[in-house]
Amino acid sequence: MGASLDDSTVYNHSSLYYNDMFNEWLAVLLFTLTRAFPDIAARAWDSDGEFLLIEAAFTLPRWLDPESAPNRVFIFRGELHILPPSLFPETPSLEAALAAVYDDSIDTRAADAIQAAIQRRIAGLPEKAAENLHTARVIVPAPVAKVLKEEPCLIARAVEGFYDRDIDTMKHAARMEKFLKGPGGEGVEMVIITVRMTRAMYAQLAQQNFQAPRGYPMPRREEGPEKWMEAELGMKIACGFEMMYQERRRQGEEDDSDEDNDFAEELGDKDVDDSFMESYSDALNKELSSTTLEKSFARAPRPETNNEGPSDDAATDAEMTPVDVDLNLVESILNSYSSQQGLPGPASNLLGLMGVKVPPDAKKS
């Protein structure tokens, strides 16, 4: 996005989205660009601030810190320039800062030690960047394949959406309304594509366990581990796109709608949210069923009935019998108190605050 602020200077501001730590590649691009076009000055920063200063942290002047850095650090003619407080005691405006950088009579070039530290960090780039890339074969819905064909860089946003998911964004993945359904609500074709991403992105996808949403077409494991891996990676990418898209859409709707419309949408989504929670609960129960966790809880006694007929099996009885929350709480506190063996501890402190004095354990006396 470019904007002309006066008759002689054009300012261009852009945002890049990525989720690995390869800021060095961008630095190389800006150093090369400003060297090739001497009339261009550039700034670059990320969520941590002026990342170029981080690379040269041990050589910076003591006065330069994240609070004093804004509008003081520029890349100009292939070198780093820093505007000192002797020139601008307070944070300068962008116009004043650029005027000083362009003024050849004012020495704003950073010290040689700072220049050398940054150049050492970016040495070998951009060629070295290829070593950080990974190409993966994945199975994704056709709409996802179309997006990646048009804008391959959006893989970073999809991975970010998947890796940073929470309980709210996972509701979108449970529905998959955008990337798994056609215009009429019908299913979409699954296609095989190759995706290029950084190794960090691939690790973020591959190393997280994630169950496919209900209704998502996954192959049978009998079809082989290779096909399963391709489908699983593609499923995670598709879910990341869905969560990213729906969150951006929701944020846009919130900005454009009033409170009444938001409340109406919330009521309209209640049934869908209930469906998600049911699906989420089923997934949790399925995962916990293979552990001994459920056997560690005391359950309320089943009421006696006079109904005749075949009885449910033991598994059904255990599933339908509610957990006695109060009994489990008391047992846990007493067990914790007993393990203190008369010494101070959290259980005795908690009981003391409630005014409860527990007699010594007769079994251990």
Side-chain angles (χ1 to χ4, degrees):
M1 178 179 64
S4 179
L5 300 186
D6 55 43
D7 294 336
S8 59
T9 306
V10 174
Y11 299 84
N12 185 288
H13 180 276
S14 301
S15 297
L16 298 179
Y17 298 97
Y18 53 92
N19 68 342
D20 63 348
M21 300 179 63
F22 231 65
N23 290 329
E24 296 93 334
W25 188 91
L26 178 60
V28 170
L29 176 64
L30 295 178
F31 276 102
T32 304
L33 182 66
T34 58
R35 189 180 297 112
F37 299 92
D39 293 334
I40 293 179
R43 283 187 63 210
W45 64 94
D46 61 10
S47 57
D48 295 324
E50 305 277 353
F51 62 82
L52 288 175
L53 300 184
I54 298 176
E55 308 298 346
F58 294 106
T59 59
L60 296 177
R62 297 180 64 88
W63 63 266
L64 190 56
D65 55 34
E67 287 72 28
S68 61
N71 288 349
R72 291 185 183 273
V73 182
F74 294 89
I75 302 173
F76 182 57
R77 295 175 183 172
E79 295 182 310
L80 192 71
H81 288 247
I82 299 176
L83 306 182
S86 59
L87 186 61
F88 293 103
E90 303 294 334
T91 300
S93 65
L94 182 59
E95 293 83 355
L98 286 174
V101 171
Y102 280 104
D103 191 340
D104 292 333
S105 65
I106 302 176
D107 184 13
T108 59
R109 182 182 179 276
D112 290 340
I114 299 176
Q115 307 283 357
I118 294 177
Q119 292 301 322
R120 282 195 301 269
R121 182 65 177 175
I122 64 178
L125 292 171
E127 292 79 8
K128 192 170 66 174
E131 301 174 2
N132 189 49
L133 296 178
H134 178 81
T135 301
R137 178 181 162 111
V138 298
I139 302 175
V140 296
V144 172
K146 183 178 180 181
V147 170
L148 288 174
K149 181 180 179 181
E150 298 294 332
E151 297 289 345
C153 62
L154 287 180
I155 184 63
R157 301 302 301 275
V159 175
E160 179 186 7
F162 171 78
Y163 189 75
D164 295 335
R165 66 190 183 277
D166 55 29
I167 189 68
D168 292 323
T169 58
M170 284 179 63
K171 295 178 182 179
H172 304 310
R175 297 192 289 262
M176 292 298 291
E177 295 177 343
K178 175 65 178 177
F179 292 99
L180 199 60
K181 297 179 181 178
E186 70 280 3
V188 297
E189 181 184 3
M190 305 297 290
V191 297
I192 301 176
I193 62 172
T194 56
V195 180
R196 203 175 192 192
M197 66 188 82
T198 65
R199 293 182 178 182
M201 294 181 196
Y202 179 79
Q204 288 176 328
L205 291 175
Q207 294 182 0
Q208 286 207 2
N209 294 325
F210 185 76
Q211 185 174 359
R214 182 180 297 179
Y216 191 95
M218 291 290 289
R220 298 187 305 275
R221 288 190 178 271
E222 292 77 12
E223 298 181 45
E226 182 177 348
K227 186 171 183 179
W228 177 266
M229 175 63 74
E230 294 172 355
E232 187 177 48
L233 283 175
M235 177 269 296
K236 294 175 180 179
I237 292 173
C239 289
F241 269 115
E242 185 75 33
M243 290 185 279
M244 175 195 69
Y245 171 82
Q246 297 294 354
E247 276 299 291
R248 297 297 184 274
R249 180 183 177 186
R250 181 184 64 82
Q251 292 170 4
E253 290 176 351
E254 288 180 352
D255 293 338
D256 297 336
S257 62
D258 56 24
E259 184 176 351
D260 292 338
N261 287 337
D262 289 341
F263 183 67
E265 290 178 4
E266 182 179 347
L267 291 178
D269 288 342
K270 185 178 185 303
D271 293 339
V272 181
D273 291 345
D274 291 343
S275 175
F276 165 77
M277 292 307 299
E278 180 181 350
S279 174
Y280 194 71
S281 177
D282 291 344
L284 288 177
N285 290 336
K286 182 179 179 181
E287 184 173 346
L288 292 175
S289 63
S290 60
T291 70
T292 60
L293 182 62
E294 63 174 346
K295 299 179 181 179
S296 64
F297 294 107
R299 297 180 179 271
R302 289 181 58 84
E304 296 183 0
T305 61
N306 295 325
N307 295 337
E308 297 181 357
S311 60
D312 296 335
D313 56 27
T316 304
D317 289 344
E319 181 179 356
M320 298 301 294
T321 304
V323 171
D324 192 328
V325 178
D326 294 336
L327 177 59
N328 282 277
L329 176 61
V330 173
E331 284 187 347
S332 297
I333 293 178
L334 292 178
N335 289 335
S336 177
Y337 178 82
S338 177
S339 65
Q340 294 177 196
Q341 298 181 352
L343 299 175
S348 58
N349 292 340
L350 181 61
L351 292 171
L353 291 174
M354 294 188 295
V356 178
K357 186 175 181 180
V358 181
D361 190 348
K363 297 180 180 179
K364 296 185 178 181
S365 59

